[in-house]
Amino acid sequence: MPQQIKQVGVLGAGLMGHGIAQVAAQAGYEVVLREVDDATLQKGIGKIEKQLARAVEKGKSSQEDADAVRGRIAGTTDYKDLAGCDLVIEAITESLPLKLEMWKELDAIVKPEAVFATNTSSLAVIDQAAATSRPGQFVGLHYFNPAQVMKLVEVVRALTTTEEAFETALQFARSEGKLAIPTKDKAGFIVNRLLVPYMLDAMRAYEEGVGSVAEIDEAMKAGAGHPMGPLTLADFVGLDTLGSICDVLFDEFRERRFARPPTLRKMLAAGWYGRKSGTGFYDYSGEEPRENPAF
Ligand code: 3HC
């Protein structure tokens, strides 16, 4: 029997966390959104408010509904406010030591029957589950960016996950209107295992002079029907996040297709993290993105 979820904790109000919090609140859950400091928290909440206002402008939501969604999200910088949550989803930086440190603190605070979930893109779920006192109640819930729009949630069963916790996570994702696809706890799960080498290969194609950045992107949009070209998508995911994901996948599988191409390594050294930093394969400082003149 799946557990009843009323209150959901979300850790991290960044690119993924703010979207995960919004989706849960839209589905009627009470949400506690935690960030490390108030400025970062307000930035995340500001993004949610902007999306809600846009939905009202477009006539997709009434002002009353948007206010109700906003009213269900409480921001905090204190882990103690997550004590009564039934489900806690982490969406912090893709770093195992940081995630483990965070779970250690939370494990002692959140009620013992609550389910913990990681939104990791690539790390094995078991490594986090085993570090808590509740390895049975630990799952992966992997959302896609933008979480408010993308239909899929990969629901990951670790070696230790109980049937009840897994069903709870599946039902939760479905209750948010998502397509919940179960996957094994294999680094990259289904989507990133396929999508990450594709983005890296687009970088190699650029390095080999097959086409320019814009030509590669336009070709994949027009030729394969993708909503974004692979280099635009890399900027959108975040080049730092992509770098961390491909390192984890490379460590796990030792296959060249997951290795950082030199272009990615150099862009990260330059502090170009894609759309979020204003510079990546494209320059985002103007009204419309334009190809980064460095390429
Ligand atoms: N938050 C909320 N809503 C958003 C949004 C956001 N950040 N971005 C776009 N939207 C909404 C818009 O409001 C619009 O809604 P409407 O149809 O109701 O008006 C709708 O999405 C379409 O947006 P736009 O018209 O502005 O732009 P597009 O049609 O170009 O769509 C896109 C934008 C949905 C981002 C589309 O380009 C797309 O699907 N891109 C591919 C995204 C993708 O592949 N994501 C997965 C990345 S991999 C990942 O996340 C895994 C991780 O582990 C790395």
Side-chain angles (χ1 to χ4, degrees), residues 51 58 60 121 142 144-146 148-149 192 228 233 237:
Q51 296 298 339
K58 283 184 186 164
K60 301 217 159 186
S121 307
H142 185 213
F144 294 81
N145 181 23
Q148 297 94 328
V149 179
N192 280 340
M228 285 176 168
L233 184 59
V237 165

Side-chain angles (χ1 to χ4, degrees), residues 10-55:
V10 178
L11 299 156
L15 203 59
M16 294 310 297
H18 86 274
I20 293 171
Q22 185 182 332
V23 169
Q26 282 171 183
Y29 296 102
E30 292 296 328
V31 176
V32 185
L33 178 59
R34 194 262 173 192
E35 251 303 347
V36 283
D37 59 58
D38 203 51
T40 320
L41 177 65
Q42 293 315 324
K43 206 171 149 198
I45 290 181
K47 283 191 205 152
I48 297 174
E49 288 171 346
K50 205 166 143 194
Q51 296 298 339
L52 292 174
R54 201 171 287 168

